[in-house]
């Protein structure tokens, strides 16, 4: 009888989960700006605490933070928007140039008795489509940012509520005496993870843009922003971010410069991802490569472009919550990477 009740409970949980996911999917236009606003608010929260240490009134601190966010947002929008428009207008020419380079490589391989069907290979692998993926992702993210007023307004209210969130969560979970320390660990882990990841991603984007500027690769600011956004997706994100500038360097310069760009991206992501980030974050929050890939697909399907860019932070929130739950700890272990298993 107990076995039957356990199966019934599992079926009810699965059915409830499907209903919630269907609701999120239908309410995409409301949920996506809210998720983005929550993400920005969590990143800005350490800055709010910094102002509080200097006894700056909360209202004034929030105004300063919002002005800083707007200033950065407007500056990036102006630079990236213009670059994206120029790049889009040049895209047909770049695609044709890439196709010519691709055919040249195939002809060169044929001289060494490596016979490849040009038309079939181009039909299966069109290098121009890789650039299309990059521009579509940036365009999709820009479409969400069109609701910037709603997002910033939500961020303001979230920042006002931030100091009380911990107390409210304790009360909601029937812990008025604040004895459940795992709740505080959960909230602190999310804050520290997103803050550190954002700083590392920002540094990655700035270094990548500077590196491309030195090599005189077109639209280096655009690819720097792309590297910043995709650095939230470990392993896979760095590869996707490197493809457009590598192909663009191949078209506008030479195979040597293209190889240097590829090597530079490998060095940047190796240093930032394997040395700098673990030093500040530790390896206890790692995800397996398979989970990273599956989360990219799942959150991208559920929330679109923003879901793809924030797939790992969103999965990390779920993982941290599971780690702080007795019933869900086994699932958090399944989501963990190799380093976490070795640490155990």
């Amino acid at each position: 009888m107990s076995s039957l009740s356990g199966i019934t409970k599992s079926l009810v949980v699965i059915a409830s989960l499907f209903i919630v996911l269907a609701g999120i999917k239908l309410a995409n236009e409301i949920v996506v700006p809210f998720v983005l606003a929550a993400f920005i608010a969590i990143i800005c929260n350490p800055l709010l605490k910094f102002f509080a240490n200097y006894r700056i009134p909360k209202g004034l601190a929030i105004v300063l933070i919002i002005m800083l966010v707007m200033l950065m947002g407007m500056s990036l929008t102006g630079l990236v928007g213009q670059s994206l428009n120029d790049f889009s207008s040049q895209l047909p020419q770049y695609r044709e140039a890439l196709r010519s380079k691709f055919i040249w490589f195939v002809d060169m391989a044929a001289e060494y008795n490596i016979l490849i069907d040009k038309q079939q290979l181009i039909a299966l692998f069109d290098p121009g489509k890789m650039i299309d993926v990059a521009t579509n992702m940036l365009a999709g993210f820009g479409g969400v940012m069109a609701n910037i007023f709603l997002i910033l307004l939500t961020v303001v209210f979230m920042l006002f509520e931030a100091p009380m969130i911990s107390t409210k969560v304790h009360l909601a979970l029937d812990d008025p005496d604040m004895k459940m320390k795992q709740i505080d660990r959960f909230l602190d882990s999310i804050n520290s993870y997103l803050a550190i990841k954002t700083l590392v991603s920002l540094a990655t984007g700035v270094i990548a843009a500077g590196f491309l500027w030195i090599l005189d690769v077109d639209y280096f600011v655009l690819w720097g922003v792309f590297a910043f956004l995709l650095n939230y997706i470990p392993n896979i994100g760095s590869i996707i971010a490197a493809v457009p500038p590598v192909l663009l360097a191949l078209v506008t310069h030479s195979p040597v410069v293209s190889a240097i760009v590829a090597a530079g991206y490998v060095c940047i992501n190796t240093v930032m991802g394997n040395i700098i980030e673990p030093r500040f974050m530790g390896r206890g929050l790692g995800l397996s490569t398979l989970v990273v890939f599956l989360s990219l697909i799942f959150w991208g399907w559920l929330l679109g472009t923003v879901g793809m860019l924030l797939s790992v932070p969103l999965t990390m929130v779920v993982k941290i919550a599971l780690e702080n739950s007795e019933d869900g700890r086994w699932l958090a272990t399944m989501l963990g990477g190799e380093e976490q298993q070795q640490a155990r």
Side-chain angles (χ1 to χ4, degrees):
M1 192 72 180
S2 59
S3 176
L4 185 61
S5 63
I7 294 173
T8 304
K9 182 180 178 181
S10 300
L11 290 174
V12 169
V13 170
I14 293 171
S16 302
L17 184 61
F18 271 99
I19 292 170
V20 170
L21 292 177
I24 293 174
K25 185 71 175 175
L26 289 172
N28 227 327
E29 294 184 2
I30 299 173
V31 174
V32 170
F34 178 80
V35 169
L36 197 56
F39 176 72
I40 295 171
I42 292 172
I43 292 173
C44 294
N45 194 47
L47 197 57
L48 187 63
K49 291 180 179 179
F50 173 79
F51 284 131
N53 291 335
Y54 289 90
R55 297 184 180 180
I56 297 176
K58 186 192 293 185
L60 178 59
I62 291 175
V63 169
L64 291 173
I65 291 171
I66 294 300
M67 287 179 64
L68 180 63
V69 171
M70 288 183 65
L71 181 63
M72 292 176 62
M74 289 172 65
S75 301
L76 278 176
T77 300
L79 288 170
V80 174
Q82 184 61 44
S83 298
L84 190 58
N85 289 334
D86 292 344
F87 179 72
S88 297
S89 64
Q90 297 288 329
L91 193 55
Q93 298 176 24
Y94 289 142
R95 285 174 61 90
E96 188 57 37
L98 273 173
R99 185 185 177 92
S100 300
K101 292 275 187 182
F102 198 66
I103 293 173
W104 177 78
F105 280 126
V106 173
D107 290 338
M108 194 171 184
E111 293 180 7
Y112 293 92
N113 295 323
I114 303 174
L115 301 178
I116 305 171
D117 189 334
K118 294 179 188 177
Q119 299 304 322
Q120 186 177 4
L121 193 60
I122 290 173
L124 292 173
F125 177 74
D126 182 2
K129 289 181 180 178
M130 296 184 182
I131 294 183
D132 287 343
V133 171
T135 53
N136 289 339
M137 286 186 70
L138 284 171
F141 186 74
V144 175
M145 292 304 291
N147 296 320
I148 188 65
F149 179 75
L150 174 63
I151 293 170
L152 287 178
L153 195 62
T154 308
V155 170
V156 169
F157 287 114
M158 285 181 173
L159 289 175
F160 272 111
E161 289 285 325
M164 296 177 285
I165 286 177
S166 178
T167 304
K168 287 184 175 182
V169 172
H170 277 277
L171 291 173
L173 296 177
D174 196 21
D175 181 39
D177 298 327
M178 312 285 283
K179 292 181 179 178
M180 296 172 65
K181 298 301 180 184
Q182 65 266 31
I183 296 174
D184 297 319
R185 285 199 300 269
F186 166 62
L187 296 173
D188 290 341
S189 296
I190 292 173
N191 282 327
S192 68
Y193 170 77
L194 288 179
I196 293 170
K197 191 67 180 177
T198 299
L199 289 175
V200 172
S201 299
L202 184 61
T204 301
V206 170
I207 294 171
F211 174 67
L212 295 174
W213 173 71
I214 292 171
L215 293 176
D216 195 28
V217 177
D218 294 342
Y219 312 112
F220 59 89
V221 175
L222 180 65
W223 308 130
V225 172
F226 200 51
F228 161 69
L229 293 174
L230 287 185
N231 196 63
Y232 286 102
I233 308 171
N235 306 321
I236 303 168
S238 58
I239 296 172
I240 299 173
V243 168
V246 167
L247 293 178
L248 193 60
L250 178 64
V251 171
T252 58
H253 292 79
S254 67
V256 175
V257 176
S258 180
I260 293 172
V261 172
Y265 264 83
V266 170
C267 292
I268 292 170
N269 287 288
T270 299
V271 172
M272 300 305 292
N274 297 331
I275 299 175
I276 303 298
E277 188 174 306
R279 181 177 178 181
F280 291 98
M281 191 180 295
R283 295 188 178 273
L285 296 179
L287 294 172
S288 74
T289 306
L290 176 61
V291 170
V292 170
F293 180 70
L294 294 178
S295 68
L296 181 68
I297 296 173
F298 172 75
W299 293 109
W301 165 78
L302 190 65
L303 300 176
T305 303
V306 171
M308 293 177 69
L309 294 175
L310 301 183
S311 60
V312 171
L314 289 170
T315 306
M316 282 304 313
V317 171
V318 174
K319 181 173 179 287
I320 293 169
L322 291 170
E323 285 178 338
N324 289 279
S325 167
E326 291 292 337
D327 296 331
R329 197 162 294 164
W330 67 272
L331 186 53
T333 302
M334 295 294 293
L335 295 175
E338 183 181 348
E339 297 87 354
Q340 188 174 5
Q341 309 306 319
Q342 292 175 351
R344 290 176 182 272

